[in-house]
Amino acid sequence: MSGELPDVQATSPDVTVGLNQVGVTGVEKVVKVNGSGGTPLILMAEFEVFVDLPSWRKGADMSRNMEVIDETLEAAIDEEVERVEDVCGSAADRLLNKHEYTSKATVSMEAKYIMPEETPESKRETQYALDIIASATATEGETRTEIGAKVTGMTVCPCSQGMSAAHARETLEDLDVDEETINDFLKEAPQPGHSQRGHATLTVESSGMPDVHLHNIIRIARDAMSARIYNLAKRPDEDHMTQAAHADAKFVEDCVRAMADGVVDEFAHLPDDAVITMKQSNDESIHQHNAHAERVVEMGTLRTEVE
């Protein structure tokens, strides 16, 4: 047998229908990002890589996609890449340039990130685990990148807490406690409510991604819930978390709105066409179902609503 092997993927398909995304998923790579603070991030990341496919072409070149990903991640290790999303942006640009038949390339990744921190009361060193989300979409003349995080925290149901406060008021009234003292007591001692493990997702997508720091995104998402949680907790830390959560009871909807307020305050410099994705899911403790709320909105609209 002589000559070049046939390029079957470049032939015409039997059904001439174009496809929005063709590519590979579940690509695991170790990525090193040289953060602007001088401390590098070492991430075990999982990538998804897609290009669009015109109706006249049978298939995408999967081996070429994998080659581009390998080249890009090696470049991210060797070069001074300061932002996680730049890895995806570089890969998307390379995909677009290497595939003459495609008009859009998308690269997304998720990675587990372990962040050192200190417990709130005992001041013990501990670690907090979260998921980093990054992606990029490259088209002719523009590459939009996205950076964000999925974090966990604690919420307390305001409705449940309100019923407990009503019971406490009735009990104190039966004990002939005066109304002013009852009001002072309930203000200083938040009543019990059923709690949930909360999962917050916050991402920011923009062209060029001007000055959006991952740690600020993490902080906004964590603080949007009733209280932060910690991997290590001594008894004073447990008391701190319980008291803090019950002092700031929030519905799932409240958490999304708190994220919105934090984004507008922290990222006032973002352009109006930046896309903000905010999601909150709570694992209910007294129901078999869970609660969920979300909002995807352009920054200009969100800024107007919040302000």
Side-chain angles (χ1 to χ4, degrees), residues 2 90 93 128:
S2 61
S90 177
D93 289 339
Y128 180 77

Side-chain angles (χ1 to χ4, degrees), residues 202 220 224 254-266 276 278 295 297 299 302-303 305-306:
L202 175 60
I220 292 169
D254 295 324
C255 297
V256 174
R257 289 171 174 140
M259 276 189 271
D261 190 46
V263 166
V264 170
D265 181 62
E266 181 66 40
I276 314 300
M278 302 164 289
R295 179 74 186 278
V297 61
M299 186 65 181
L302 188 64
R303 186 182 288 117
E305 291 183 10
V306 170

Side-chain angles (χ1 to χ4, degrees), residues 18-305:
L19 304 176
N20 296 113
Q21 290 187 328
V22 176
V24 293
T25 64
V27 181
E28 295 183 336
K29 294 289 181 181
V30 175
V31 178
K32 176 183 176 182
V33 179
N34 296 317
S36 56
T39 302
L41 301 181
I42 308 299
L43 304 173
M44 185 63 198
E46 183 172 313
F47 287 85
E48 294 185 348
V49 181
F50 299 110
V51 297
D52 63 340
L53 193 69
S55 60
W56 51 263
R57 185 179 174 94
K58 189 175 184 65
D61 191 338
M62 296 297 179
S63 62
R64 181 176 297 173
N65 289 358
M66 285 302 302
E67 178 185 3
V68 171
I69 284 293
D70 284 337
E71 289 176 356
T72 303
L73 296 185
E74 289 300 323
I77 293 172
D78 296 336
E79 299 174 1
E80 293 295 321
V81 177
E82 294 187 353
R83 307 184 308 174
V84 177
E85 61 269 31
D86 290 340
V87 178
C88 296
S90 177
D93 289 339
R94 288 169 180 258
L95 279 169
L96 194 65
N97 292 331
K98 284 182 174 286
H99 294 76
E100 67 281 355
Y101 55 81
T102 192
S103 60
K104 183 175 72 173
T106 302
V107 176
S108 61
M109 62 156 276
E110 288 197 19
K112 185 67 71 176
Y113 176 39
I114 307 298
M115 186 173 69
E117 65 177 0
E118 191 178 74
T119 57
E121 291 294 331
S122 64
K123 305 303 178 184
R124 302 292 185 91
E125 292 184 1
T126 186
Q127 296 178 335
Y128 180 77
L130 60 108
D131 293 319
I132 294 175
I133 305 167
S135 69
T137 300
T139 55
E140 189 65 35
E142 182 185 43
T143 299
R144 293 180 65 88
T145 55
E146 178 186 41
I147 184 64
K150 295 179 181 178
V151 303
T152 56
M154 178 180 176
T155 62
V156 170
C157 175
C159 184
S160 172
Q161 187 180 59
M163 289 186 288
S164 294
H167 290 311
R169 179 178 293 278
E170 291 176 1
T171 300
L172 292 170
E173 288 173 347
D174 290 342
L175 294 172
D176 294 326
V177 178
D178 64 272
E179 185 175 356
E180 183 178 354
T181 302
I182 293 174
N183 291 336
D184 289 343
F185 171 77
L186 293 177
K187 182 179 178 181
E188 295 298 324
Q191 295 304 292
H194 74 84
S195 61
Q196 306 107 346
R197 173 71 62 84
H199 307 274
T201 300
L202 175 60
T203 68
V204 179
E205 176 202 326
S206 182
S207 179
M209 192 58 69
D211 196 24
V212 174
H213 293 292
L214 176 62
H215 279 200
N216 289 336
I217 290 177
I218 295 169
R219 173 180 53 79
I220 292 169
R222 292 183 75 184
D223 290 345
M225 290 177 272
S226 296
R228 294 187 175 194
I229 60 174
Y230 297 83
N231 189 40
L232 171 68
K234 305 295 286 183
R235 281 188 295 176
D237 302 310
E238 292 177 353
D239 181 63
H240 173 93
M241 285 183 276
T242 302
Q243 295 298 325
H246 283 81
D248 191 20
K250 287 179 177 176
F251 291 119
V252 66
E253 300 92 337
D254 295 324
C255 297
V256 174
R257 289 171 174 140
M259 276 189 271
D261 190 46
V263 166
V264 170
D265 181 62
E266 181 66 40
F267 302 127
H269 59 281
L270 283 174
D272 285 347
D273 68 347
V275 177
I276 314 300
T277 298
M278 302 164 289
K279 299 179 182 180
Q280 179 73 27
S281 295
N282 291 343
D283 299 337
E284 293 282 0
S285 58
I286 63 171
H287 305 294
Q288 288 188 316
H289 60 264
N290 295 324
H292 182 86
E294 65 178 79
R295 179 74 186 278
V296 180
V297 61
E298 288 191 342
M299 186 65 181
T301 301
L302 188 64
R303 186 182 288 117
T304 299
E305 291 183 10

